[in-house]
Amino acid sequence: FLREQEEKCGVKGISLADLIILGGCAAVEEAARKAGLEVEVEFVPGRVDAEQEHIDVDFYREIEPFADGFRNYFRDPGTIDEEDVYTTPEYFLVDKAQLLRLSVPEMVVLLGGLRVLGATFRYERHGVLTDRPGVLTNDYFVHLLDMGFEWQAADSHRYLFKGYERRSGAERWIATRVDLAVAHHDELRAIAEAYAADDAKEMFARDFARAWSKVMHLDRFDLRKGNFDP
């Protein structure tokens, strides 16, 4: 596979950084195949590796984010000075999307895809609204919008919510404010409804692949001089 990439891109050898990105692209394609879809994720090599002595560890420790809605990550409350920040995690999702230069549809499809792939903080089940984690399906949107479930706050911060089956009362899912914001906000819900449609499975997978590729190549400033458009 690596030889095929070398021949395709005209580059010999591969850095660890490229290998990590390539592995992710291959994983997305495999997840789509498990869903019965053929999706090709764009990959362009050329990244270089940084040595340990080139990394300012203290600097990166200070700027470490305390929230990432795409991975349903929030730092331990005991490490955050302002506790009420837990009531607004959806705002940090929008801020991160803006930094990643994502449009609103790209933000929604990337979030939904990462959830069904199980790419959450510590691989927890928060927001993984599917019985088939690791398969690139639109299950996240289908179950998020399903009126057969009732969502109730599961902690004092109203950050975690549990989804219960209305008929049986059985607990079925667990999600965060970030996930419920997708179903609540008018613009985000409209996009979610489009991806939840029975005939939207292929559109969802292809749109996710494009959004994934866009993020994976954001640091490739050299590509912006050419015609590359992930």
Side-chain angles (χ1 to χ4, degrees), residues 25-41 117 134-137 201-202 204-206 208-209:
C25 293
V28 171
E29 293 180 353
E30 178 61 22
R33 277 193 287 272
K34 290 180 180 179
L37 303 170
E38 289 295 328
V39 173
E40 182 176 350
V41 182
L117 292 179
V135 181
L136 192 58
T137 66
K201 296 179 176 63
E202 184 173 356
F204 161 72
R206 296 191 184 282
F208 174 78

Side-chain angles (χ1 to χ4, degrees), residues 108 138 140-142 144-147 182-200 203:
V108 174
N138 63 343
Y140 173 81
F141 300 108
V142 173
L144 180 65
L145 302 179
D146 190 340
M147 293 303 296
V182 174
H184 177 74
H185 188 276
D186 291 345
E187 186 176 4
L188 303 186
R189 184 182 179 90
I191 299 169
E193 288 176 347
Y195 285 126
D198 290 340
D199 60 352
M203 177 182 71

Side-chain angles (χ1 to χ4, degrees), residues 74 83-91 156-159 177:
F74 237 81
E83 189 172 336
D84 62 354
V85 78
Y86 267 77
T87 65
T88 56
E90 56 271 27
Y91 291 97
S156 60
H157 298 293
R158 297 183 67 81
Y159 174 66
R177 287 178 59 96

Side-chain angles (χ1 to χ4, degrees), residues 116-178:
V116 295
L117 292 179
T120 56
F121 178 58
R122 292 178 178 171
Y123 302 104
E124 294 175 338
R125 294 288 295 175
H126 300 166
V128 184
L129 310 182
T130 180
D131 294 320
R132 301 175 289 172
V135 181
L136 192 58
T137 66
N138 63 343
D139 287 356
Y140 173 81
F141 300 108
V142 173
H143 294 138
L144 180 65
L145 302 179
D146 190 340
M147 293 303 296
F149 300 109
E150 178 183 3
W151 294 92
Q152 299 180 9
D155 67 355
S156 60
H157 298 293
R158 297 183 67 81
Y159 174 66
L160 287 178
F161 289 79
K162 291 183 178 180
Y164 298 89
E165 295 180 355
R166 293 185 185 274
R167 290 186 176 180
S168 66
E171 180 183 328
R172 188 70 173 83
W173 310 110
I174 185 167
T176 69
R177 287 178 59 96
V178 173

